[in-house]
Amino acid sequence: MGKQNCFFILLISCNFMGVSGYPNGLVTESCSSMTPIHGGAIAQTSAAPFSVTASKATYSPGDQITVTLQAKSGTFQGFFLQARQIGGGAALGSFTITDSTNTQGLNCNGANSTVSHTSNSDKSLIQATWNAPSSGTGDIEFSATFVRVYETFWSQVKSSQLNFSTTAPPSPAPTSTPSSFNPSSSLVLISSTGCGINKTCFSNPAGCDAATNADCYFMSSASPQGGSDGIQFEISGKSNGYISIGFSDDTQMGNDDIYICGQDVNGNIQVQHAFSTGRLTPTIKPLENVSNISTSFNNGVIKCSFITRNSISTQQRAADTSYYIFIANGPTNGGTIQYHPSRPFITEDKVNLLGSQLASGNANTPAIIKTHGALMLIAWMTTGSIGMISARYFKQISKGIQILGKDIWFQAHVFLMLLTVAATITAFVLAFVSVRGWSGGAHPVIGCIVMVLALIQPLIAIFRCAPDSKRRIVFNLMHAINALVIKVLAVTSIFLGLQLLDNSPNQWLLKVMGGFVGWEFLIYLILDFNLCLKKEELYENVVKTPPEPVVLLIYILGNLMFLIALLVGIGQT
């Protein structure tokens, strides 16, 4: 028996070793095949949702090339990157490890000839610098394996071919034609030195230095060195797609002159000039008089510096140098910027771009949007919830107790639901008044559906059948299903809205909302369980005092605690 137990433990241990994978990235067993040994799992055959891009299309002996691994959608946990000769099966050259937190070198055909992950944390973009061999190796390509989760991976995702050149390409001659991006990824040096002295700066957190703080969102403006005309801008911030600065006559987005530093379709950082109209995707304009562009993307931080001689203007007035400044960041899709998931940082006052100011500001939510969120919370987590509970569980215990000729539960239900619909309409109007258009994303779509269904619900109630009608069951069913759909969609919309409002690192408002929903679900379980018990008691002719009023009182007290916590949180955003 002891031997059998030992054999069983050994068998389990072997199986575990066979399927545990390599979260630390030490996968030299896959140097040749580039296929993970994941318990028999095979590579996906569908198009990979990842890309491998190089900063150059040709290379020469000794060249350094930046290679970018990027998720087109979702994230990846592991990766395995090599440079290989076209048709070859061995790693070539070596990599310089610049991000030791997420990358490490492996010896597959020489030291650091391969790069892999250091942990199974989620990643969306990785960059590494490849050093070409000192002797010719012919045309090459970069090949990578991406692991999304343990059993789902894509093997040997390839870059475009890099042609071998025996001589280094000549340096481009100086030209007045601006370049939209700098293909090299050498770090652009941006710091707060000179802020308030010879350049205007705006940052969040206030006073942070982009040179030392990766979480610093920073922009500066100044007259170009040498006394030439124009404005020199520096922009820095953490982003998985783009970071932008906007110039506005007010603190509302729309009719703003914008400069964008973001990833193009190949993952390179480009500078774009744009103009926004309402909440629609900004219209890209020609760069025209933009020069001296430098960009970099390292460790998730985008930096760019450039000089513009374009006039900065809005629809309200012609060119000027004093504006409210916006700093926004968000994802890109195929080189096109997407709606930023959180509010931009906005200066408290207009800023002179050619002055020497230390501007302050934040991403505080406008009062009208806070009111919108508060009304939706009150409507669908308090008045609406209590109204639904009163109709579902309190018909029997309040039967015969009437106000104005109707049972008290019915009057309470009607009053609370009318309050809910009124609060929803008010919140709906406030949102559109604030945005002055369509903001995009799932939140407004779901909110509009909730608004429509909330208006339909009382109409269904007005045309309901008499209680003794054979069709009454149809009304009951439609009324209940519509209420359930509204509730689910309203809660979903609230979660999405809180996500937009809450810029805190741990997004505690979402966690409180999760507790709020859990509290309500628990009360429903208790009341449903009690309802089942009562049916059983009636069958056995056992009469007991119903606990529903006590449960309702406890629910209301808990509800108010969660509601107050969320309202206070919304007020602080």
Side-chain angles (χ1 to χ4, degrees), residues 58 82 103 121 154 221 348 413 424 496 511 517 519 524 529:
T58 62
Q82 292 180 350
T103 63
S121 62
W154 285 261
S221 62
E348 294 177 352
H413 172 72
T424 303
L496 293 173
K511 297 176 181 178
V517 174
W519 169 251
Y524 269 92
F529 181 69

Side-chain angles (χ1 to χ4, degrees), residues 230-253:
I231 304 176
Q232 179 168 359
F233 286 111
E234 296 176 320
I235 311 172
S236 177
K238 184 176 289 186
S239 175
N240 62 353
Y242 73 90
I243 182 166
S244 65
I245 53 174
F247 310 99
S248 179
D249 289 318
D250 53 36
T251 58
Q252 299 295 320
M253 289 179 284

Side-chain angles (χ1 to χ4, degrees), residues 102-351:
N102 295 304
T103 63
Q104 62 183 334
L106 299 180
N107 189 339
C108 283
N109 188 26
N112 291 348
S113 58
T114 300
V115 179
S116 74
H117 55 279
T118 57
S119 71
N120 60 356
S121 62
D122 289 336
K123 310 164 187 68
S124 59
L125 186 142
I126 290 291
Q127 288 186 316
T129 301
W130 181 71
N131 307 298
S134 57
S135 58
T137 55
D139 298 341
I140 66 164
E141 62 189 0
F142 292 98
S143 183
T145 293
F146 294 87
V147 178
R148 171 155 282 173
V149 291
Y150 175 78
E151 71 282 352
T152 306
F153 59 87
W154 285 261
S155 182
Q156 298 195 37
V157 179
K158 300 181 185 301
S159 70
S160 299
Q161 178 175 314
L162 278 71
N163 297 320
F164 175 69
S165 173
T166 55
T167 58
S171 300
T175 174
S176 60
T177 302
S179 168
S180 64
F181 69 94
N182 179 355
S184 70
S185 286
S186 58
L187 185 62
V188 177
L189 299 178
I190 294 176
S191 75
S192 61
T193 302
C195 288
I197 300 173
N198 54 20
K199 64 182 181 181
T200 288
C201 298
F202 173 42
S203 61
N204 192 281
C208 65
D209 191 346
T212 58
N213 184 356
D215 294 318
C216 179
Y217 290 91
F218 177 91
M219 71 79 58
S220 72
S221 62
S223 297
Q225 293 183 357
S228 61
D229 60 339
I231 304 176
Q232 179 168 359
F233 286 111
E234 296 176 320
I235 311 172
S236 177
K238 184 176 289 186
S239 175
N240 62 353
Y242 73 90
I243 182 166
S244 65
I245 53 174
F247 310 99
S248 179
D249 289 318
D250 53 36
T251 58
Q252 299 295 320
M253 289 179 284
N255 299 328
D256 309 322
D257 204 335
I258 299 172
Y259 282 95
I260 303 165
C261 295
Q263 294 178 351
D264 64 12
V265 68
N266 295 317
N268 297 312
I269 301 300
Q270 63 180 346
V271 173
Q272 294 177 298
H273 189 199
F275 189 85
S276 68
T277 304
R279 295 301 183 97
L280 301 176
T281 302
T283 301
I284 302 300
K285 301 168 59 178
L287 270 180
E288 296 180 338
N289 297 318
V290 176
S291 60
N292 296 66
I293 296 175
S294 298
T295 67
S296 70
F297 189 15
N298 289 277
N299 300 326
V301 176
I302 295 175
K303 295 178 183 288
C304 65
S305 173
F306 58 91
I307 295 175
T308 178
R309 293 177 176 84
N310 296 323
S311 296
I312 296 176
S313 62
T314 65
Q315 287 184 352
Q316 282 76 18
R317 58 194 172 105
D320 198 355
T321 59
S322 294
Y323 296 94
Y324 289 97
I325 300 177
F326 292 57
I327 300 179
N329 71 93
T332 56
N333 184 7
T336 302
I337 69 170
Q338 306 297 298
Y339 186 72
H340 43 85
S342 58
R343 278 187 54 78
F345 302 110
I346 307 172
T347 56
E348 294 177 352
D349 301 295
K350 287 184 178 180
V351 174

Side-chain angles (χ1 to χ4, degrees), residues 379-401:
W380 293 105
M381 296 308 297
T382 301
T383 59
S385 294
I386 298 173
M388 292 177 185
I389 286 177
S390 65
R392 180 175 175 84
Y393 299 107
F394 290 86
K395 289 182 182 180
Q396 296 301 321
I397 66 169
S398 63
K399 204 167 187 179
I401 306 175

